[in-house]
mmCIF file with all atom_site columns, all heavy atoms in Angstrom:
data_model
loop_
_atom_site.group_PDB
_atom_site.id
_atom_site.type_symbol
_atom_site.label_atom_id
_atom_site.label_alt_id
_atom_site.label_comp_id
_atom_site.label_asym_id
_atom_site.label_entity_id
_atom_site.label_seq_id
_atom_site.pdbx_PDB_ins_code
_atom_site.Cartn_x
_atom_site.Cartn_y
_atom_site.Cartn_z
_atom_site.occupancy
_atom_site.B_iso_or_equiv
_atom_site.pdbx_formal_charge
_atom_site.auth_seq_id
_atom_site.auth_comp_id
_atom_site.auth_asym_id
_atom_site.auth_atom_id
_atom_site.pdbx_PDB_model_num
ATOM 1  N N   . TYR V 1 309 ? 30.811 -1.614 14.651 1.00 0.00 ? 309 TYR V N   1
ATOM 2  C CA  . TYR V 1 309 ? 30.810 -0.940 13.350 1.00 0.00 ? 309 TYR V CA  1
ATOM 3  C C   . TYR V 1 309 ? 30.437 -1.925 12.253 1.00 0.00 ? 309 TYR V C   1
ATOM 4  O O   . TYR V 1 309 ? 29.638 -1.630 11.363 1.00 0.00 ? 309 TYR V O   1
ATOM 5  C CB  . TYR V 1 309 ? 32.196 -0.355 13.050 1.00 0.00 ? 309 TYR V CB  1
ATOM 6  C CG  . TYR V 1 309 ? 32.406 1.034  13.588 1.00 0.00 ? 309 TYR V CG  1
ATOM 7  C CD1 . TYR V 1 309 ? 33.578 1.379  14.251 1.00 0.00 ? 309 TYR V CD1 1
ATOM 8  C CD2 . TYR V 1 309 ? 31.436 2.016  13.412 1.00 0.00 ? 309 TYR V CD2 1
ATOM 9  C CE1 . TYR V 1 309 ? 33.781 2.650  14.746 1.00 0.00 ? 309 TYR V CE1 1
ATOM 10 C CE2 . TYR V 1 309 ? 31.633 3.288  13.909 1.00 0.00 ? 309 TYR V CE2 1
ATOM 11 C CZ  . TYR V 1 309 ? 32.800 3.604  14.576 1.00 0.00 ? 309 TYR V CZ  1
ATOM 12 O OH  . TYR V 1 309 ? 32.991 4.860  15.058 1.00 0.00 ? 309 TYR V OH  1
ATOM 13 N N   . ARG V 1 341 ? 36.080 6.815  6.904  1.00 0.00 ? 341 ARG V N   1
ATOM 14 C CA  . ARG V 1 341 ? 36.971 6.318  7.962  1.00 0.00 ? 341 ARG V CA  1
ATOM 15 C C   . ARG V 1 341 ? 37.927 5.280  7.412  1.00 0.00 ? 341 ARG V C   1
ATOM 16 O O   . ARG V 1 341 ? 39.118 5.281  7.732  1.00 0.00 ? 341 ARG V O   1
ATOM 17 C CB  . ARG V 1 341 ? 36.149 5.715  9.102  1.00 0.00 ? 341 ARG V CB  1
ATOM 18 C CG  . ARG V 1 341 ? 35.695 6.727  10.122 1.00 0.00 ? 341 ARG V CG  1
ATOM 19 C CD  . ARG V 1 341 ? 35.425 6.058  11.448 1.00 0.00 ? 341 ARG V CD  1
ATOM 20 N NE  . ARG V 1 341 ? 34.373 5.065  11.340 1.00 0.00 ? 341 ARG V NE  1
ATOM 21 C CZ  . ARG V 1 341 ? 33.088 5.337  11.481 1.00 0.00 ? 341 ARG V CZ  1
ATOM 22 N NH1 . ARG V 1 341 ? 32.698 6.551  11.750 1.00 0.00 ? 341 ARG V NH1 1
ATOM 23 N NH2 . ARG V 1 341 ? 32.196 4.390  11.367 1.00 0.00 ? 341 ARG V NH2 1
ATOM 24 N N   . ARG V 1 357 ? 48.823 -3.370 9.489  1.00 0.00 ? 357 ARG V N   1
ATOM 25 C CA  . ARG V 1 357 ? 47.475 -3.211 10.050 1.00 0.00 ? 357 ARG V CA  1
ATOM 26 C C   . ARG V 1 357 ? 46.503 -2.646 9.034  1.00 0.00 ? 357 ARG V C   1
ATOM 27 O O   . ARG V 1 357 ? 45.379 -2.285 9.367  1.00 0.00 ? 357 ARG V O   1
ATOM 28 C CB  . ARG V 1 357 ? 47.545 -2.281 11.256 1.00 0.00 ? 357 ARG V CB  1
ATOM 29 C CG  . ARG V 1 357 ? 48.503 -2.744 12.325 1.00 0.00 ? 357 ARG V CG  1
ATOM 30 C CD  . ARG V 1 357 ? 47.820 -3.599 13.342 1.00 0.00 ? 357 ARG V CD  1
ATOM 31 N NE  . ARG V 1 357 ? 46.828 -2.812 14.046 1.00 0.00 ? 357 ARG V NE  1
ATOM 32 C CZ  . ARG V 1 357 ? 47.130 -1.964 15.010 1.00 0.00 ? 357 ARG V CZ  1
ATOM 33 N NH1 . ARG V 1 357 ? 48.357 -1.830 15.384 1.00 0.00 ? 357 ARG V NH1 1
ATOM 34 N NH2 . ARG V 1 357 ? 46.189 -1.278 15.607 1.00 0.00 ? 357 ARG V NH2 1
ATOM 35 N N   . GLU D 2 72  ? 44.219 5.638  15.171 1.00 0.00 ? 72  GLU D N   1
ATOM 36 C CA  . GLU D 2 72  ? 43.200 4.679  15.590 1.00 0.00 ? 72  GLU D CA  1
ATOM 37 C C   . GLU D 2 72  ? 42.059 5.392  16.294 1.00 0.00 ? 72  GLU D C   1
ATOM 38 O O   . GLU D 2 72  ? 40.893 5.064  16.101 1.00 0.00 ? 72  GLU D O   1
ATOM 39 C CB  . GLU D 2 72  ? 43.805 3.658  16.558 1.00 0.00 ? 72  GLU D CB  1
ATOM 40 C CG  . GLU D 2 72  ? 44.560 2.551  15.884 1.00 0.00 ? 72  GLU D CG  1
ATOM 41 C CD  . GLU D 2 72  ? 45.147 1.593  16.910 1.00 0.00 ? 72  GLU D CD  1
ATOM 42 O OE1 . GLU D 2 72  ? 44.850 1.719  18.104 1.00 0.00 ? 72  GLU D OE1 1
ATOM 43 O OE2 . GLU D 2 72  ? 45.913 0.721  16.484 1.00 0.00 ? 72  GLU D OE2 1
ATOM 44 N N   . TYR D 2 75  ? 39.902 7.079  13.928 1.00 0.00 ? 75  TYR D N   1
ATOM 45 C CA  . TYR D 2 75  ? 39.095 6.084  13.228 1.00 0.00 ? 75  TYR D CA  1
ATOM 46 C C   . TYR D 2 75  ? 37.904 5.678  14.082 1.00 0.00 ? 75  TYR D C   1
ATOM 47 O O   . TYR D 2 75  ? 36.774 5.591  13.609 1.00 0.00 ? 75  TYR D O   1
ATOM 48 C CB  . TYR D 2 75  ? 39.959 4.866  12.906 1.00 0.00 ? 75  TYR D CB  1
ATOM 49 C CG  . TYR D 2 75  ? 39.233 3.726  12.258 1.00 0.00 ? 75  TYR D CG  1
ATOM 50 C CD1 . TYR D 2 75  ? 38.978 3.734  10.891 1.00 0.00 ? 75  TYR D CD1 1
ATOM 51 C CD2 . TYR D 2 75  ? 38.796 2.637  13.004 1.00 0.00 ? 75  TYR D CD2 1
ATOM 52 C CE1 . TYR D 2 75  ? 38.309 2.692  10.292 1.00 0.00 ? 75  TYR D CE1 1
ATOM 53 C CE2 . TYR D 2 75  ? 38.128 1.589  12.410 1.00 0.00 ? 75  TYR D CE2 1
ATOM 54 C CZ  . TYR D 2 75  ? 37.883 1.609  11.050 1.00 0.00 ? 75  TYR D CZ  1
ATOM 55 O OH  . TYR D 2 75  ? 37.217 0.579  10.460 1.00 0.00 ? 75  TYR D OH  1
ATOM 56 N N   . ALA D 2 76  ? 38.158 5.446  15.357 1.00 0.00 ? 76  ALA D N   1
ATOM 57 C CA  . ALA D 2 76  ? 37.092 4.957  16.226 1.00 0.00 ? 76  ALA D CA  1
ATOM 58 C C   . ALA D 2 76  ? 36.093 6.053  16.563 1.00 0.00 ? 76  ALA D C   1
ATOM 59 O O   . ALA D 2 76  ? 34.883 5.829  16.574 1.00 0.00 ? 76  ALA D O   1
ATOM 60 C CB  . ALA D 2 76  ? 37.692 4.381  17.505 1.00 0.00 ? 76  ALA D CB  1
#
Side-chain angles (χ1 to χ4, degrees):
Chain V
Y309 272 135
R341 274 204 299 272
R357 303 269 296 281
Chain D
E72 279 179 7
Y75 176 81

